[in-house]
């Protein structure tokens, strides 16, 4: 067993959590079954060249692929033992547990066990961790805004025939002219850059805010559906520091938000089993806000859990040099 370098500390823990193989293998299997409920239909569609405007999104827009999502991680500060654990020593940001860590986990020296390589992650992914911490904490601290009514999706198709941006397999529920009139009759107030950047050129000046990559950390707010969907992005980018069950909680919330977002969109999705939320009417706007408030509350709880899980890694950034071990 190699000596433990000074920076490879268990994030201030006096005792590490030990999961023997008879505990973590069933947990891994249950998690993978949970993932396959979503990933298997997507992979089957992809193999036959079919598309789904709602249920493909989390696998195509975000960079996490199904095979990556299927990998179960217990999170930082956990030692996995047993013969099945040995193969993880070759996984990125994993390593064999040091003797001191084995002792902290209540295991004898020489036990076959692995743990997340927190020190390596903090050096290799420092910027990602810092930025996620800023976004999560900043968004959680701001008041939620509920006046957008999902009009970002409508702005993405505003005068779209002029720019030849029409989705080839979806039709507009109200047709092009009535869709454009809805955009023109409402105040567009999108605070999320990764929605705003898909506006058609004619829709850009109609937005009363000017979100950008540079001001993202100060603009995002917890009423925004896209900011709440992105909890999944921040979570998977920080694997294996986070337990996969928490990542999957974020995924499933994003899945439900995407469904509602598309129901409120200008597209006709009846044949896909998604009835419209008619945000062009007062009743539809009220329905949208009701869902939006519910998702905001769920998302704030997930932000709290994410920040709690990341508290020690974020604190450790202040003690680990970006240049590597000293």
């Amino acid at each position: 067993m190699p000596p433990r370098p000074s920076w490879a500390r268990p994030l201030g823990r006096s005792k590490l959590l030990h999961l023997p193989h008879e505990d973590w293998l069933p947990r891994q299997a249950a998690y993978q079954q949970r993932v396959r409920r979503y990933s298997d239909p997507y992979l089957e569609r992809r193999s036959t060249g079919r598309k789904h405007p709602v249920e493909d999104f989390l696998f195509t827009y975000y960079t996490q692929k199904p095979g990556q999502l299927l990998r179960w991680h217990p999170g930082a500060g956990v030692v996995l033992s047993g013969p099945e654990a040995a193969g993880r020593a070759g996984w990125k940001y994993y390593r064999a547990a040091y003797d001191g860590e084995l002792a902290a986990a209540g295991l004898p020296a020489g036990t076959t066990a692995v743990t997340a390589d927190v020190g390596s992650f903090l050096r290799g992914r420092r910027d990602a961790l810092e930025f996620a911490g800023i976004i999560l904490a900043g968004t959680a601290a701001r008041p939620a805004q509920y006046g957008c009514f999902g009009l970002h999706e409508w702005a993405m198709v505003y005068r779209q025939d002029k720019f030849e941006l029409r989705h080839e397999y979806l039709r507009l529920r109200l047709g092009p002219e009535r869709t454009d009139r809805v955009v023109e009759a409402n105040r567009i107030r999108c605070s999320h850059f990764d929605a705003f950047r898909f506006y058609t050129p004619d829709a850009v000046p109609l937005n009363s805010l000017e979100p950008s990559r540079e001001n993202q950390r100060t603009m995002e707010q917890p009423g925004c559906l896209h900011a709440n969907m992105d909890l999944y992005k921040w979570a998977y980018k920080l694997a294996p520091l986070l337990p996969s069950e928490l990542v999957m909680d974020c995924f499933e919330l994003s899945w439900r938000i995407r469904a509602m977002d598309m129901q409120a969109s200008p597209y006709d999705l009846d044949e896909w089993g998604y009835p419209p939320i008619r945000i062009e009417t007062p009743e539809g706007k009220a329905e949208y806000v009701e869902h939006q408030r519910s998702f905001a509350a769920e998302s704030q709880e997930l932000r709290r859990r994410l920040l709690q899980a990341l508290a020690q890694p974020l604190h450790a950034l202040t003690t680990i040099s970006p240049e590597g071990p000293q």
Side-chain angles (χ1 to χ4, degrees):
M1 181 68 62
R4 185 184 74 175
S6 60
W7 48 266
R9 299 185 179 92
L11 299 184
R13 296 174 185 262
S14 59
K15 186 175 182 180
L16 298 180
L17 175 64
H18 167 228
L19 291 178
H21 68 102
E22 60 267 22
D23 289 345
W24 70 263
L25 286 176
R27 184 171 157 185
Q28 174 181 259
Y31 167 79
Q32 291 175 338
Q33 183 177 15
R34 184 179 175 188
V35 172
R36 287 193 174 101
R37 173 188 170 195
Y38 303 94
S39 63
D40 284 358
Y42 164 71
L43 292 172
E44 193 278 329
R45 284 192 301 272
R46 190 178 70 176
S47 70
T48 57
R50 292 179 294 124
K51 296 180 180 180
H52 195 295
V54 180
E55 297 174 9
D56 290 351
F57 183 77
L58 267 62
F59 296 113
T60 55
Y61 175 75
Y62 293 112
T63 58
Q64 175 94 318
K65 302 307 178 187
Q68 295 170 308
L69 185 59
L70 275 167
R71 279 196 167 188
W72 174 80
H73 305 289
V78 179
V79 173
L80 302 179
S81 68
E84 298 86 354
R88 288 178 176 244
W91 289 15
K92 192 172 185 178
Y93 300 126
Y94 272 86
R95 57 169 170 76
Y98 296 112
D99 284 346
E101 292 168 325
L102 294 175
L107 295 168
T111 299
T112 299
V114 297
T115 191
D117 190 347
V118 177
S120 178
F121 185 95
L122 295 185
R123 292 190 310 281
R125 301 282 291 155
R126 184 187 192 97
D127 290 348
L129 177 58
E130 286 181 334
F131 189 70
I134 290 168
I135 290 289
L136 291 169
T139 305
R142 294 184 193 103
Q145 304 295 320
Y146 300 111
C148 69
F149 306 120
L151 285 160
H152 55 275
E153 291 288 343
W154 297 67
M156 293 177 193
V157 297
Y158 180 61
R159 297 180 180 174
Q160 65 173 0
D161 289 341
K162 174 180 175 181
F163 303 103
E164 299 182 352
L165 297 175
R166 179 181 290 279
H167 290 282
E168 71 277 9
Y169 69 106
L170 296 178
R171 70 180 185 88
L172 297 177
R173 179 168 55 82
L174 302 179
E177 292 184 4
R178 290 176 63 198
T179 297
D180 290 349
R181 288 202 295 271
V182 170
V183 174
E184 293 161 355
N186 285 275
R187 184 186 184 197
I188 315 296
R189 187 179 173 81
C190 178
S191 60
H192 195 272
F193 175 67
D194 284 315
F196 177 68
R197 68 189 177 97
F198 290 108
Y199 278 26
T200 64
D202 282 1
V204 169
L206 301 180
N207 204 63
S208 60
L209 302 175
E210 296 183 2
S212 67
R213 188 66 71 205
E214 290 69 30
N215 65 22
Q216 181 180 7
R217 63 187 64 199
T218 61
M219 288 282 287
E220 294 201 3
Q221 48 86 18
C224 172
L225 294 190
H226 279 258
N228 294 336
M229 288 175 63
D230 278 353
L231 289 176
Y232 168 58
K233 175 176 70 174
W234 305 124
Y236 77 69
K237 282 181 177 292
L238 300 179
L241 297 191
L242 297 174
S244 287
E245 289 86 353
L246 176 53
V247 177
M248 199 60 194
D249 287 345
C250 295
F251 176 97
E252 290 180 338
L253 175 63
S254 295
W255 182 278
R256 290 186 287 116
I257 292 175
R258 171 63 176 177
M260 194 277 275
D261 193 33
M262 291 301 284
Q263 286 180 270
S265 77
Y267 302 115
D268 184 347
L269 300 176
D270 271 339
E271 68 176 286
W272 304 88
Y274 292 88
I277 296 174
R278 303 180 187 276
I279 59 93
E280 70 274 17
T281 68
E283 296 79 11
K285 284 183 170 67
E287 182 182 356
Y288 184 92
V289 171
E290 182 180 358
H291 288 296
Q292 193 178 22
R293 288 182 180 276
S294 178
F295 285 137
E298 287 188 68
S299 298
Q300 287 290 66
E301 173 60 16
L302 278 176
R303 281 189 188 89
R304 183 195 65 78
R305 291 171 58 196
L306 287 166
L307 287 166
Q308 183 179 46
L310 294 171
Q312 289 183 312
L314 285 166
H315 175 73
L317 286 177
T318 65
T319 64
I320 294 180
S321 168
E323 287 74 30
Q326 304 297 311

